[in-house]
Amino acid sequence: MNCTHAMTLGEIVTEDFRAAAIFERHGLDFCCRGGRSLEHSCRDAGISTEDVLQELEAITGPPSFAAMRFDKMALPALVEYIVDKHHAYVKEALPSLVAHSKKIAGVHGGRHPELVRVGQLVEQVAEEMTSHMMKEEHVLFPFIVKLASAKAEGRPAPVPPFGTVSNPIHVMEVEHESAGNAMFEIRELTDGYKTPADGCTTYEVCLRELEAFEKDLHAHVHLENNILFPKAAALENHG
Ligand SMILES: [Fe+2]
Ligand SMILES: [Fe+2]
């Protein structure tokens, strides 16, 4: 794919989701900090922009999941996709993540004290994400769907109960950052989700679950921060 130094990480991933794997590998945050340019992000991460651009250029051929042009989807369909795919996954994944992280903190916490902190962070993410998704599903998303249908049917925009749609969006973005930071800390504490030689099967299972959870969170937050929210705000402002 063709990218420039000035494009933001969010724009690049929106263009082709295969770029996400490259950014993940380099620790470049394309969701919570997706508004920053490639050059700026690479400089901050201490890596060469040219090297990353070369990797991005090597993405060729028809994309698969990447073919889903989320930026071209109608907002109600995008909301439905986020809820059905990402919210459903988070709800399903959390109970076993919490149980497994608590279990390994109890069994291995003596020799691996970082697991106690991992357990606390998982519990925090579980609580925050549960209330976060509830707010999205019951307050923000239904309003965005109403806004989009009013626009499609040529009706006046609904009156938001929260002043402007940018208010709840801002709250959601702050909460995304909190979950993203907690997962980043877990990644650091576990040295990139590595199971030590004395780790048991649950240890390994838990780390794989955490790794998958972080990856899904990045895709989820990308769709909201970089596509859904800016489009909803533009719809409210410009109709
Ligand atoms: Fe969400
Ligand atoms: Fe969210």
Side-chain angles (χ1 to χ4, degrees), residues 162-232:
F162 27 67
T164 156
V165 77
S166 300
N167 290 332
I169 284 176
H170 178 68
V171 176
M172 295 303 106
E173 286 171 345
V174 169
E175 292 178 359
H176 289 162
E177 186 135 18
S178 171
N181 287 345
M183 293 310 299
F184 181 77
E185 194 179 337
I186 292 175
R187 171 184 283 274
E188 299 252 283
L189 286 166
T190 58
D191 192 17
Y193 305 110
K194 282 195 197 86
T195 310
D198 61 349
C200 62
T201 309
T202 311
Y203 203 136
E204 169 66 14
V205 167
C206 187
L207 291 187
R208 296 290 68 77
E209 286 175 332
L210 283 166
E211 189 173 25
F213 188 86
E214 189 190 22
K215 204 169 171 197
D216 182 86
L217 185 72
H218 288 167
H220 178 179
V221 170
H222 160 65
L223 293 181
E224 293 174 359
N225 278 17
N226 297 331
I227 304 178
L228 180 67
F229 295 168
K231 281 188 154 204

Side-chain angles (χ1 to χ4, degrees), residues 40-196:
H40 185 169
S41 311
C42 286
R43 202 185 320 123
D44 277 2
I47 53 178
S48 147
T49 313
E50 298 308 322
D51 289 354
V52 178
L53 272 172
Q54 260 183 19
E55 285 187 56
L56 291 168
E57 272 161 26
I59 298 179
T60 50
S64 49
F65 168 74
M68 293 195 65
R69 287 301 304 249
F70 294 102
D71 55 328
K72 305 265 191 279
M73 273 167 98
L75 294 193
L78 180 57
V79 161
E80 194 179 326
Y81 178 88
I82 290 170
V83 172
D84 287 354
K85 178 153 177 13
H86 294 293
H87 288 203
Y89 165 77
V90 173
K91 287 174 200 171
E92 196 188 306
L94 282 178
S96 91
L97 258 187
V98 170
H100 288 155
S101 56
K102 202 176 277 178
K103 186 171 171 192
I104 61 171
V107 177
H108 301 275
R111 260 171 306 163
H112 300 284
E114 70 279 6
L115 292 180
V116 177
R117 176 72 184 143
V118 170
Q120 287 167 350
L121 287 165
V122 169
E123 213 152 336
Q124 176 199 318
V125 168
E127 274 172 31
E128 287 179 5
M129 282 303 287
T130 303
S131 108
H132 174 83
M133 293 191 305
M134 194 124 71
K135 285 183 260 182
E136 286 182 337
E137 289 176 28
H138 294 286
V139 183
L140 180 57
F141 289 179
F143 181 79
I144 292 177
V145 169
K146 266 200 240 166
L147 196 61
S149 348
K151 154 95 177 152
E153 292 159 20
R155 287 184 282 107
V159 178
F162 27 67
T164 156
V165 77
S166 300
N167 290 332
I169 284 176
H170 178 68
V171 176
M172 295 303 106
E173 286 171 345
V174 169
E175 292 178 359
H176 289 162
E177 186 135 18
S178 171
N181 287 345
M183 293 310 299
F184 181 77
E185 194 179 337
I186 292 175
R187 171 184 283 274
E188 299 252 283
L189 286 166
T190 58
D191 192 17
Y193 305 110
K194 282 195 197 86
T195 310

